[in-house]
Amino acid sequence: MNAQKFDQYAEDVAGRANVADTPELRAYYARLAELGTGALWTVANKIEPWEPASTSQPMLWRYADLRADVLRALDLVTPEKAGRRVVYLENPGRGDVVAAVGWLYSGLQVMNPGECASSHRHSASALRFIMEGSGAYTVVDGHRVTLGANDFVLTPNGTWHEHGVAKEGTVCIWQDGLDIPLMNALEANFYEVHPDLRQAEGFPLDDTTASWAGSGLRPQSDGWAKPYSPMLKYGWGPTYEALCRLAGSSDGSPYDGVIMDYVNPATGGPVMQTIGAQIQLLRPGERTKAHRQVGSFVYQCAKGSGYSIINGQRFDWRERDIFVVPAWMWHEHANGSEREDACLFAFHDLPVMRSLGLYREEALADNDGHQPLAA
Ligand code: GTQ
């Protein structure tokens, strides 16, 4: 049910606010406003909807449409002046909130070889999913992490981090994912620039992945006690291999195909406290059924091509395209190829929903689980 139909429905149902306006009531509302108050029945249906009513719109940003203009920022601003050279994705449903969907931010950051942005830290949790280029790196709390295409990297909240591209590298573009809108909604956002602008590095290259990416093995001596994953980089090679192995031994989910969560290897839980991430593989020709979830999703196609139907709207995607599924909206995915598999990376706020006891999901019962396409 869309928001308009929903309001109408709410008004028609007994027990929901349904007070007709009169001149006397209007004067009363004006008086309440003067007192810094309001009458609950004028807003009740809006502030207590029957079910989550996201203001975000399902959207897709095609990489082919964005790429040239993202590269143009290289000529227009420097990381020194701009802080971060990023083109952010804007969901028109979010009003003044800079968000790709719900309480999640997404941006495309671009860097020249030899460039580096200053070290900083913030309350927002952040991740990167590399789109193109070679030589990119991030330093997180003294650990240098090298980044290649489709690598997934964490910069958990409170960690010092700086990004750069080696002199011998090429122009690099990656997607930044953060929970900036959530931090601001919670009025909990702090930001700090490193006093030296650079942080000291004190560990072997890519050491956190070397230590923690064992085959079901956990370093015994590591007294990891922080609330986020000790492994900062999830490389594409092992990720894709794991997906293919699972595809060989499991049918997968009717809603998502072969799907795996990126986990904190110390706990099996989500990679960060507020943002989780997943990777899924749709087999050649695979078409999933629709479900909906409490939580917002930002997807990036990592491999292949296909389409997703989100609340009755079809979005065709191919490698590096980004699309969003707002909370509680029906979504189903299809691989457009009969020969190649297709992979979708996504990050989401399900860890927030789960830790607050709010997570729910529902399968579409009608029409064999497939949504009718909106006119
Ligand atoms: O590098 O942490 O795209 O703080 C926006 C804000 C990236 C970052 C963004 C940020 C960052």
Side-chain angles (χ1 to χ4, degrees), residues 83-88 105-109 117-118 120-122 124-128 155 161-163 174-178 180 191:
R84 334 244 125 225
R85 195 195 282 115
V86 178
V87 172
Y88 65 81
Y105 162 101
S106 166
L108 301 192
Q109 185 157 172
S118 59
H120 70 288
R121 65 179 177 183
H122 37 61
S125 296
L127 59 85
R128 264 142 270 289
T155 46
H161 55 285
E162 63 203 61
H163 316 301
W174 59 81
Q175 180 183 189
D176 289 326
L178 293 97
I180 291 172
Y191 187 102

Side-chain angles (χ1 to χ4, degrees), residues 111-141:
M111 268 202 186
N112 271 318
E115 283 181 341
C116 183
S118 59
S119 188
H120 70 288
R121 65 179 177 183
H122 37 61
S123 313
S125 296
L127 59 85
R128 264 142 270 289
F129 197 78
I130 312 308
M131 302 180 93
E132 65 169 287
S134 67
Y137 66 87
T138 288
V139 184
V140 185
D141 271 353

